[in-house]
Structure formats: structure tokens, C-alpha cells
Amino acid sequence: MSFIRRSQYFVTATLTAFGFFTFHSAATAEEKKDAPKPADVAKTIEQSQNFFKQGEGKTRDANYRSALESFNQAIQLNPAWSSPYVSRGVVRSRLGDHQGALQDLEQAARLNPSDAMIYAHRGSVRYNLGEAEAALADLNKAIELNPTLAAAFVNRGYIHTQSQNFESAIADFDQALRVQPSYTPALVNRGFARFRNGDREGAMQDLNEAIKLQSNYAEAYVVRGTLKHDMGETEDAIADFTQAIRHKPTYLEAYFNRAQANSKRGFLEAAESDLNQVLKLNPDKASAFHQRGMIRAALNNVEGAMEDYNQALRLDPNDAAAIKSRGDLRAEAGDKSGAIADYSQAVQMQPNLASAYSSRAEIFSTMGDKQAAMQDLSQAVNFNSSDPSAFESRGKARMQMGDLQGAIDDFSQALNLDATRADAFYQRARLMVIMGDRSSARSDLERAANLYLQAGDAEGYRKTLNAIRIYHATLSN
């Protein structure tokens, strides 16, 4: 059972949060444009500014709901002042109300169309709404109005990274660092883009420099840990995720990534503990229930695994991978009809899910339905032609159905993809004997024996040596 779903779940880089800015100078400029102010008007503006400052303070303390009320008061007292709209928009975005945030930022842009920061914030909100092109347009406008706004270059670079345009992304991060040489979000994002662009050394230099400049930057540790995990340095990756958690104890992604790294190292109890923490932080994270279910299944906690799979599917009924995992659990428990139902539902939702076809084929095979098994194995090969196990499984099915040449072709393809598959050599050797190609059979048996021995597979090694003895006895006769 596979636990790591890095491409789907691993955090790569985080869209830079612009943070909150004090707009005292902007507010002053707007006040000067107003008509002469009687004392009561001046007092109202002062009250609005006080509520605005209170909102900023509450935001820094992550007291977003209360901050929202303060910004509401500031706007009510001075609806022509753009700054509270900007700040309220950012708070709404952090609370998940991206449409409300967009409305606030659009109003701010109407009130103060020359403020680059408004467009930068609006670009972030539009990206969160899935409007990548509109987000780029806003970030371009922000940079046009203020070519020294490093955060706008970083966020534009991040969008380029997500569209696999790494050269443009790196160019934006470079420009951000020219404007602000010690800007750690630019270093972290450039490090990730460099890694994806094949420059591992440059990537690590950027991430190490970011951590050197800001040793408590949790996001930098997560990104560096992710890259180390990709490079096979799992132990170092775990250390980085642990550092991220130390600096930011509520960092959900750090726990999630460490859980997967721990599972890869075989530390299943530690992985389960990390996922427990993820679900405390976010009880609605379906993928965490799915991941924990797989770990519990590996720990032989069948009841706990089934509960997790079912909860994952209550939260996300269309998760084909979770349905497939539940089918695996049912198959292991001997519930063949339940397993087939899950595998069938999984491929209905995701027709290219090769692993579900392979697993359903295995059930059909044990039930004696060789034709159905063959059809599913062919689908698995069609949808994942780089999976040697799919070719090997179909080869065995073809052997049972008497298609010897087709079986040889499948075992050969499996070995082209992975030359360490002892079973494929052994089965092909058996077929070569039948086909009369004794020389090839002997070569395959010898390679199978060596691979079984290297893997410590005593039974495989024994049966292969026995086949070699039979082969030599046949020759002597």
C-alpha cells in the first residue's frame, strides 16, 4: 500500500501574504482633498482612524473577527477612505470570504486608483478565487504603479510557478531581490522554482539563505523539507518539518508533510500521531482522514481504517482514491463483492485510475472470471503504461488463458521498465522452456535466482534453483 502522495498533497510554495500596512500618509493625502472640516467632521475622521488602528492591532494578533468589526466602524465613520476597505478585504480573505474581500478591494480601487498596494492585494484575492489571468493583470498594474513593490513580483512569480513557467517565475523573484535583497519570501519561492527547473544546488542555496536571514521562518523549513524529501533525504526532511512545527506549532502543512515522510521511513505510529494533529487543526480535511486510514490499515487497525475512509468520503464523496483504498481494505477482509463495488465506483469517478483496475482484476481472478480480469488488466496497462506490475500481472493472466506469446511480451515489457523483478524473469523462463528457447530460459532462471537471493526471498530462490536442476536434468536426458 502506498502512503506518499507527494504531488497531490505536499506543500510546495505559499502565496506570499502581503500583511498589513499603515496608510497614514495616504489617509493624510485624502484628508487634504476634502472640503474644509468643521470640528465635528475632524472628530469623526479621528474616530475612524482610531478604529482603523485598532483593527490593525487585532489583525496582528490574529483576532480577525474583532478586527472586522473595527474596520466596519472605520468605514461607517469615513466611507470615502480607502485604507479600511483594503484592510477589511485582507481580513475577509483570511477568513475565507474571498468574494467579500474582492468587493472591498474593488471599492478601495475606485476610491484610490493610484495605490499599487490595492491592486497587489486584489491580485492575491483573485488568485484565491481561481482567476489566475485577472490576478496577473492586477499584479502587473501594481508593478506598473510601484516598480519597487517586491511582494507583487513574488506573487506574480508564484503564479508563473504554478503554470510551470519557471523562467518567468525566477525572473520575477530575481527582480524582487534586486528591489529588496533580504526578502525571504522571494528566496523561498525562487528556491522552489529553481528546484523544479532542475537547479538543485541553486534551490538549496536560496532556502539556506532564507533560513539564515530568518531562522524562525517556518514556511522556509517546509519548502526545504519538501525538496529534501523529493531528493530522497527523508530523515533531513523530517528534521526540517519538525523545525517548522517548533517555530509555528499550528502549522498544519508541516504536520501533514512530516506524517508522509514518517510513513515512508516506516515510522507509522509517528505518522498517525502527526495526522491526529492535522485533524485537530482541521477536522474537515478529507485527505488527512484518507492518509490516516491507509496508515491504520498498515498497522492492522481495520476498524479505525474503515472509519477514516468513510469519514473522508463523507467530506469528499468524489475522492476516487479514497474509495479505492476502502476497496483494498474490504478485499483484505475477504469482502470480495464490497471490494468490487468500491473499485467499480472508483473507476466510474476516475476512469484512468489504473490501480483500481488492477485490484479489481485480482479479485476477478480469484473468483475464476479470467476474461473480466484480463479486460481490467488491459485497462490498467492502457492508463499507466509505465507500471511494470501491471504488465507482470497481465502476463500471468495471459499464461493462465494460454496466450503464451502475449504473456512473454508482457513479462518482457515489465522487465524493460524494471529489470529487478525476479518473478517476471522466473515466469518468462517457464514460458521459454515451453516455447523451446532453452538458452533464454536458462539466462532468465539464473537472473531470477540472483534477484531472489539479493532480496532475501528464500522461497523464490528455492523454487528457482529447483527449476534450474530440472532444466539441467532435461538437457542430460
Side-chain angles (χ1 to χ4, degrees), residues 130 148 177 190 250 352 441:
T148 66
L177 289 164
R190 188 175 70 177
T250 59
N352 64 345

Side-chain angles (χ1 to χ4, degrees), residues 49-80:
Q49 291 173 340
N50 288 337
F51 278 115
F52 177 70
K53 290 175 184 177
Q54 289 174 19
E56 287 186 308
K58 292 172 182 177
T59 301
R60 282 191 291 271
D61 294 335
N63 189 0
Y64 298 129
R65 296 290 179 188
S66 183
L68 206 59
E69 291 302 318
S70 294
F71 294 134
N72 289 342
Q73 292 286 347
I75 289 168
Q76 185 177 353
L77 289 164
N78 189 1

Side-chain angles (χ1 to χ4, degrees), residues 422 446-458 460-462 464-465:
E446 289 174 349
R447 295 185 70 176
N450 287 332
L451 288 168
Y452 282 130
L453 183 61
Q454 292 170 19
D457 186 341
Y461 186 58
R462 184 200 61 76
T464 307
L465 289 181

